[in-house]
Each structure stands twice: as C-alpha cells, then as structure tokens.
Amino acid sequence: EIVMTQSPATLSVSPGERATLSCRASQSIGSNLAWYQQKPGQTPRLLIYGASTRATGIPARFSGSGSGTEFTLTISSLQSEDFTVFYCQQYDKWPLTFGGGTKVQIK
Amino acid sequence: QVQLVESGGGVVQPGRSLRLSCAGSGFTFSSYAMHWVRQAPGKGLEWVAVVSDGGGFKSYADSVKGRFTISRDNSKSTLSLQMNTLRAEDTAVYYCARDCGEIDKKTTNAFDIWGQGTVVTISS
C-alpha cells in the first residue's frame, strides 16, 4: 500500500500569514492527490483534487502543487476558520490511503 | 440538496456484527461509486471500502478484508456496510462518501460529498 506522510504534524502560524503543508507519497502517484479540511466536530471537506484543482466553492487562498511523490498545500493568508486539520489522500492505487494530518494552530 | 445520511451505528460486543446504511438523495445515486471512510476517536481518516456505481467492483482496506462487506441498492439509493467479527479497533465514526467520478475524462477517486457519520463502538 502507498504510505502518505504529512509534515509537520502541527504548524503554528499567525492570522494573515502564509501556511505551507507538505505531503509525501511512498511511491509516485502522478497527480492523483486530494486535500481535505476537517473542522472540529465536522465532516471533512474536499479542497483540492488532481493535486492542484480547487473543488467547487473553495476560496482562492487555497492552492495545491506537486506531482510524483512531493505535494504542497498552501494557504496564502490564514483566516480564523482555517485553523483546523488538513489531510492529503492518494487515489492512484487501491487501497486509497490518507496522510496522518497536519493541524494548523494559531501562533 | 445533495445529501448522505448514515444510520445503524451503536455499541456492540467484540466478535458481534453490525450493519450500517447510508441513504443518498439530491443526486443520481446510481451514477456514482460510493465509499465508507472511518475515523477512530482522536485519530485521522481511514478509507474502508468502495463499491462501483453498478456494484460490479468492490475493494477493501486490508484491515477489514474478509470481515466487512460493502453493497448497494440503486433502486433505493442506499449503501450498506455489513461488519462481522468486530474488534475494539473498529471503534470509529463511519462516514459514507460519494466518489468524484470522472472529471475531465480522468478517474478521480476523491470524496466530494460526505455524510455526517454514524458512531460505532466495540466494547464488552
């Protein structure tokens, strides 16, 4: 199975600053990567698919990049509602697998 | 509106069985592959199983293979997960999720719609 590793586990950022989250795959997955946001007590929300395409209704401050084994989610200017947990997920091969998550907290 | 509603969760003893259901509405259920994803308390997301739109393809996580069975009834727009020989480590919130399907002629097995989840607790 493809192992997805997210770093850092916790990221401390000030409101209005840029946040950069990383996701690494144990083997090449092309661009078959999605990012999700999960707020406390809520259902995950799809942010990005195809490594870089924003899902419907996702603000432009969220952007994804990368291919192969290295991927990045960038939040250009953190808003209060962005201090949550983010997960990456590969869909190149079965079984589908998620990263362990990155918690973005207020610095 | 597009909606998924899970049911069937509860507290069961180790070794027993439980059946989860998920009702879809607001979209053409039969046109989408469907998944189960779970989240143990305080932990991350774990994909569990998928069934294709017509039901002909199924795949499972190694952790549940041989114990869980995914199925669907397109005439009723429902998804099911039969869980047998339950273990303590199966304790989690179970979400049903809709597959994105084909986007720009490319298969995209990401999850664009999620239910609110149903809680399964395995405890003696």
Side-chain angles (χ1 to χ4, degrees):
Chain A
E1 102 178 15
I2 298 175
V3 177
M4 306 301 293
T5 303
Q6 290 186 242
S7 61
T10 304
L11 183 63
S12 297
V13 187
S14 299
E17 290 191 340
R18 174 189 296 258
T20 302
L21 288 65
S22 296
C23 177
R24 174 178 293 177
S26 61
Q27 61 185 268
S28 179
I29 59 171
S31 296
N32 297 316
L33 183 99
W35 289 94
Y36 301 86
Q37 176 185 42
Q38 188 176 29
K39 298 178 181 180
Q42 293 190 21
T43 294
R45 176 176 70 150
L46 177 65
L47 297 176
I48 301 282
Y49 62 88
S52 61
T53 303
R54 279 189 301 277
T56 303
I58 301 304
R61 65 180 183 275
F62 293 95
S63 63
S65 63
S67 66
T69 61
E70 301 285 341
F71 301 87
T72 300
L73 175 69
T74 301
I75 311 169
S76 59
S77 177
L78 278 161
Q79 307 298 302
S80 58
E81 62 267 30
D82 300 334
F83 291 95
T84 59
V85 180
F86 296 86
Y87 296 95
C88 62
Q89 175 238 329
Q90 68 80 20
Y91 53 89
D92 189 63
K93 289 185 172 55
W94 306 101
L96 306 183
T97 47
F98 288 91
T102 291
K103 179 180 180 180
V104 178
Q105 64 180 24
I106 299 175
K107 186 175 182 180
Chain B
Q1 73 279 23
V2 176
Q3 194 172 7
L4 295 170
V5 178
E6 302 93 338
S7 60
V11 180
V12 296
Q13 294 178 328
R16 303 297 292 265
S17 299
L18 199 62
R19 187 176 182 89
L20 306 183
S21 295
C22 170
S25 60
F27 65 102
T28 304
F29 186 83
S30 60
S31 294
Y32 292 86
M34 296 295 297
H35 303 258
W36 289 99
V37 177
R38 68 184 181 183
Q39 187 168 34
K43 302 298 184 181
L45 300 169
E46 180 187 16
W47 174 79
V48 173
V50 63
V51 59
S52 62
D53 52 359
F57 171 78
K58 299 177 183 180
S59 183
Y60 300 89
D62 287 346
S63 59
V64 307
K65 200 174 294 183
R67 299 189 299 124
F68 289 12
T69 302
I70 190 171
S71 61
R72 65 189 298 158
D73 184 341
N74 286 339
S75 68
K76 297 180 180 178
S77 297
T78 58
L79 175 73
S80 297
L81 186 69
Q82 177 66 41
M83 305 186 296
N84 298 332
T85 319
L86 284 161
R87 306 167 179 167
E89 54 265 34
D90 295 319
T91 294
V93 177
Y94 284 72
Y95 298 102
C96 69
R98 191 180 79 172
D99 192 278
C100 288
E102 191 170 282
I103 302 176
D104 296 332
K105 301 183 180 180
K106 183 169 172 55
T107 299
T108 305
N109 297 123
F111 318 113
D112 62 351
I113 303 294
W114 296 66
Q116 286 303 303
T118 188
V119 178
V120 173
T121 303
I122 312 304
S123 174
S124 54

